[in-house]
Amino acid sequence: MAHPVPSAPGRRTNPPLPSAIGAHVAPAPHSAPASLPTVEEISAGGVVVDTSDNELRVAIIARLNRGGRLEWCLPKGHPEGRENNEQAAVREIAEETGIDGRILAPLGSIDYWFTVSGHRVHKTVHHYLLRATGGELTIENDPDKEAVDVAWIPIHELARKLSFPNERRIADLAREVLPEHL
């Protein structure tokens, strides 16, 4: 069962379309001029948990924002070709963290707005809870080279480590539903 996560204000005027615009941009205030063209962007990713011991660690990545500040976040990215959101989440997590996973449950979606290159972007990110099934922690397979670091974080510390409030809510939800899947 999907658990909804509160989303940012705004209303979708067009169906979501994948876009390659803006991987490292700061959120724009909602007062951005309405005259800017709006692009809908979809990503998928989530919380991949190592359940091999009682520590229950989660793989997260670090990225540099446009200001050069390090931000820890959940791995995610755009669906490619005919991928659905679940397939994209599994692939993106493997590319950005080196960890293969199997989806256990959907965790809900978050959305936010930002501006870049004269466009207003409305991004929706679909999150899933995954059990780690193999791989080694690395950023070497990230084709976009967006991730600058990767780490295993105990699930009980995850919300304190993540940079963004919406992702911290996803982490809290993952921690809440994980016992149903162990």
Side-chain angles (χ1 to χ4, degrees):
M1 172 179 169
H3 298 277
V5 174
S7 62
R11 112 184 128 77
R12 183 172 275 127
T13 55
N14 298 313
L17 298 172
S19 168
I21 295 177
H24 302 295
V25 293
H30 289 291
S31 60
S35 60
L36 289 177
T38 298
V39 175
E40 297 289 339
E41 191 172 298
I42 302 292
S43 286
V47 178
V48 60
V49 182
D50 177 0
T51 59
S52 66
D53 59 31
N54 289 335
E55 192 169 3
L56 300 174
R57 296 169 297 147
V58 176
I60 63 172
I61 62 168
R63 296 179 179 176
L64 294 175
N65 69 14
R66 290 190 342 177
R69 194 177 105 228
L70 195 67
E71 297 173 331
W72 286 96
C73 54
L74 297 172
K76 62 186 168 296
H78 302 288
E80 294 179 356
R82 301 187 115 171
E83 280 182 326
N84 62 34
N85 292 331
E86 293 86 355
Q87 292 165 329
V90 170
R91 179 186 49 76
E92 285 288 341
I93 289 168
E95 286 178 358
E96 292 187 350
T97 69
I99 303 301
D100 299 318
R102 181 177 56 83
I103 292 180
L104 300 175
L107 293 173
S109 301
I110 59 175
D111 73 322
Y112 50 94
W113 296 82
F114 57 89
T115 56
V116 63
S117 304
H119 289 85
R120 191 167 185 233
V121 179
H122 179 219
K123 185 168 186 171
T124 302
V125 184
H126 303 283
H127 289 89
Y128 300 89
L129 175 64
L130 293 83
R131 179 186 311 240
T133 59
E136 291 185 29
L137 205 59
T138 182
I139 59 170
E140 295 304 314
N141 299 322
D142 180 7
D144 302 321
K145 304 299 181 204
E146 293 174 347
V148 297
D149 201 0
V150 62
W152 284 115
I153 303 297
I155 197 165
H156 66 275
E157 295 177 15
L158 184 58
R160 286 193 301 270
K161 184 74 172 174
L162 293 171
S163 298
F164 302 105
N166 283 339
E167 287 193 352
R168 290 193 290 267
R169 287 192 290 273
I170 292 289
D172 289 342
L173 184 57
R175 200 169 152 202
E176 179 183 315
V177 302
L178 182 61
E180 300 170 23
H181 301 282
L182 293 180

